[in-house]
């Protein structure tokens, strides 16, 4: 889950902020988010309150934000389903493919948007 202010989301818009967590130029404090959508957010509390057990995951930077969120979901006993055609990887196709393999073999399911829509379409 990359949101406003996330350095990867900014890079995709062409306004990259320099610095890594803990490195020179890194900004921390209020409003700073980590790679996982679970870290420092109320996402887990919201999902538990709603009785959610499965997550459909999309996002930018498959090998960083998306994979981090899926790992945290798996560690919290959710079933994450990644829609491979609804993610992107500015760090290279090899990183994207490696993350898909790790997720599919260890952390959840990998599918695509067409298959999801077909599964959700009522049968007449």
């Amino acid at each position: 889950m990359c949101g406003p202010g996330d350095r990867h989301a900014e890079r995709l818009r062409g306004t990259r902020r320099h610095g890594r967590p803990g490195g020179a130029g890194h900004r921390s404090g209020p409003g700073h988010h980590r790679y996982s959508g679970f870290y420092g957010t109320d996402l887990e509390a919201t999902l538990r309150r709603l009785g959610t057990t499965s997550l459909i995951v999309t996002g930018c930077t498959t090998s960083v934000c998306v994979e981090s969120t899926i790992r945290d979901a798996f560690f919290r006993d959710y079933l994450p389903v990644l829609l491979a055609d609804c993610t992107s990887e500015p760090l290279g196709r090899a990183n994207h493919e490696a993350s898909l393999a790790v997720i599919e073999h260890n952390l959840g399911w990998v599918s695509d948007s067409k298959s999801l829509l077909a599964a959700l379409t009522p049968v007449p």
Side-chain angles (χ1 to χ4, degrees):
M1 299 176 81
C2 301
D6 181 276
R7 69 186 180 103
H8 294 293
E10 289 174 5
R11 179 170 41 197
L12 292 175
R13 288 191 303 270
T15 58
R16 181 178 181 197
R17 184 181 79 225
H18 297 281
R20 297 189 316 251
H26 175 68
R27 183 186 74 148
S28 63
H32 175 71
H33 300 283
R34 300 294 177 157
Y35 296 134
S36 172
F38 285 92
Y39 185 90
T41 70
D42 63 352
L43 178 60
E44 183 173 15
T46 300
L47 294 172
R48 297 279 182 218
R49 182 173 42 79
L50 295 171
T52 304
T53 58
S54 300
L55 305 176
I56 298 169
V57 183
T58 67
C60 58
T61 315
T62 311
S63 66
V64 183
C65 297
V66 174
E67 188 175 332
S68 295
T69 299
I70 287 174
R71 282 180 184 277
D72 280 354
F74 175 78
F75 294 151
R76 288 167 169 81
D77 297 321
Y78 292 101
L79 174 60
V81 178
L82 173 64
L83 300 183
D85 61 330
C86 296
T87 62
S88 65
E89 181 60 67
L91 303 175
R93 188 72 186 167
N95 285 6
H96 178 75
E97 295 297 329
S99 288
L100 294 180
V102 166
I103 292 163
E104 186 170 34
H105 294 285
N106 300 306
L107 304 172
W109 292 2
V110 174
S111 189
D112 57 61
S113 58
K114 184 177 180 181
S115 297
L116 174 70
L117 291 174
L120 295 176
T121 302
V123 178

